Amino acid sequence: MTILYKITQQASKAVSKLEDVVKMEQRKLNSMVESMADGIVMTDNDYRVFVANPAIKSLLSIKNKPEVTIFDFIERLNSKFDIRAKLEESIKLNKIIEIPEVIINEKAFQILVSPVKSAMELTNGEILGGVVIFHDITKEKELEELRKDFTSMMVHELRSPLDGINKMSDLIMKEKGSEEIERIMHDYIPIIYRSSADMLGLVNNLLDVAKVESGKFQVFKEEN
């Protein structure tokens, strides 16, 4: 009985230490999730919400609710994003779902839905629930619009005059005239021609980059 009592005491202490470690790790995880700028929602397999960080609560104006449910998210996201259906699809099919862009409160978000799996050896790979991550891409969209505006400016404001300079200087070099024109042609026109040709090439390169990014770039086969 004495030996059994000692074993029981040791087991009880080990369990207490294990519980302390689990609680500490849980606090660390909660602190990390709480401080994330991305909105985070985690549910179990029955779609009960057990994690909803301040970022997502602030976005959907549910900061003052002590406990939130999946219905709070369904109500506030409305037809913009079917969170319940996407969680169900991700959990049941065991796959990651990515939605490139959803507009919420005039901001653009990239949304990732993923199953949450157990990392314990005895239940390794078991799906415990799902997580939804809302990543704000508003600034990236604004930068993309600025890039498009810059490319458009380069095309419309520079291409036409540069193309005209290129063609006119090419024409002048082919013409014969007075001695002064011959001197100008000899000293300056080749420089103008090369410079305008280089600048026109730069504009065309910018156009090609824009076409590649938009998926509209075409390649044509020509004989040398």
Side-chain angles (χ1 to χ4, degrees):
M1 289 296 293
T2 302
I3 295 173
L4 181 60
Y5 176 72
K6 288 182 179 180
I7 293 174
T8 304
Q9 276 190 321
Q10 291 175 354
S12 178
K13 288 179 181 179
V15 170
S16 297
K17 288 181 180 179
L18 181 60
E19 287 178 347
D20 291 339
V21 170
V22 170
K23 287 178 181 178
M24 184 179 295
E25 292 301 318
Q26 187 174 13
R27 283 195 295 269
K28 289 180 181 178
L29 178 61
N30 289 340
S31 297
M32 182 182 68
V33 173
E34 291 281 315
S35 63
M36 289 181 68
D38 290 343
I40 307 290
V41 181
M42 296 181 71
T43 72
D44 59 16
N45 287 328
D46 295 320
Y47 313 109
R48 289 187 293 260
V49 177
F50 62 89
V51 172
N53 72 343
I56 191 63
K57 288 182 178 181
S58 176
L59 173 65
L60 301 180
S61 300
I62 52 177
K63 292 185 290 186
N64 297 325
K65 288 195 69 174
E67 293 185 8
V68 294
T69 69
I70 194 68
F71 299 105
D72 291 311
F73 294 99
I74 292 172
E75 178 185 355
R76 284 163 174 79
L77 290 170
N78 202 359
S79 59
K80 300 170 186 175
F81 174 64
D82 193 341
I83 187 171
R84 172 68 168 74
K86 293 301 181 182
L87 275 168
E88 182 177 7
E89 182 182 354
S90 177
I91 292 171
K92 289 188 175 180
L93 300 181
N94 188 20
K95 73 172 185 178
I96 297 174
I97 301 170
E98 183 178 345
I99 297 88
E101 183 180 342
V102 176
I103 303 299
I104 304 172
N105 295 338
E106 299 181 353
K107 289 186 176 182
F109 288 87
Q110 182 183 57
I111 301 178
L112 186 71
V113 187
S114 173
V116 176
K117 300 178 183 180
S118 172
M120 295 179 65
E121 293 184 3
L122 295 177
T123 58
N124 190 24
E126 178 186 355
I127 297 177
L128 304 177
V131 60
V132 185
I133 302 174
F134 295 76
H135 177 58
D136 191 344
I137 57 170
T138 305
K139 290 184 178 179
E140 287 89 335
K141 294 288 293 182
E142 290 174 354
L143 289 174
E144 176 66 16
E145 289 301 319
L146 287 174
R147 187 197 62 79
K148 288 181 179 179
D149 291 342
F150 173 75
T151 302
S152 178
M153 181 274 294
M154 290 289 290
V155 171
H156 296 292
E157 299 297 329
L158 296 178
R159 186 175 185 181
S160 295
L162 287 174
D163 188 43
I165 292 171
N166 184 264
K167 289 179 179 178
M168 285 187 289
S169 57
D170 184 36
L171 180 62
I172 291 173
M173 285 192 294
K174 293 177 181 178
E175 292 290 333
K176 291 182 179 180
S178 64
E179 184 177 355
E180 180 65 18
I181 291 178
E182 290 291 333
R183 188 187 67 78
I184 293 173
M185 287 171 55
H186 182 269
D187 294 337
Y188 298 105
I189 297 302
I191 298 175
I192 295 173
Y193 179 76
R194 287 194 301 270
S195 298
S196 61
D198 290 341
M199 294 181 71
L200 185 59
L202 175 61
V203 173
N204 287 329
N205 288 339
L206 287 170
L207 276 175
D208 289 341
V209 170
K211 288 179 181 179
V212 169
E213 291 179 348
S214 64
K216 297 179 181 179
F217 187 77
Q218 294 180 318
V219 178
F220 300 96
K221 184 178 180 181
E222 293 183 358
E223 294 182 2
N224 293 330

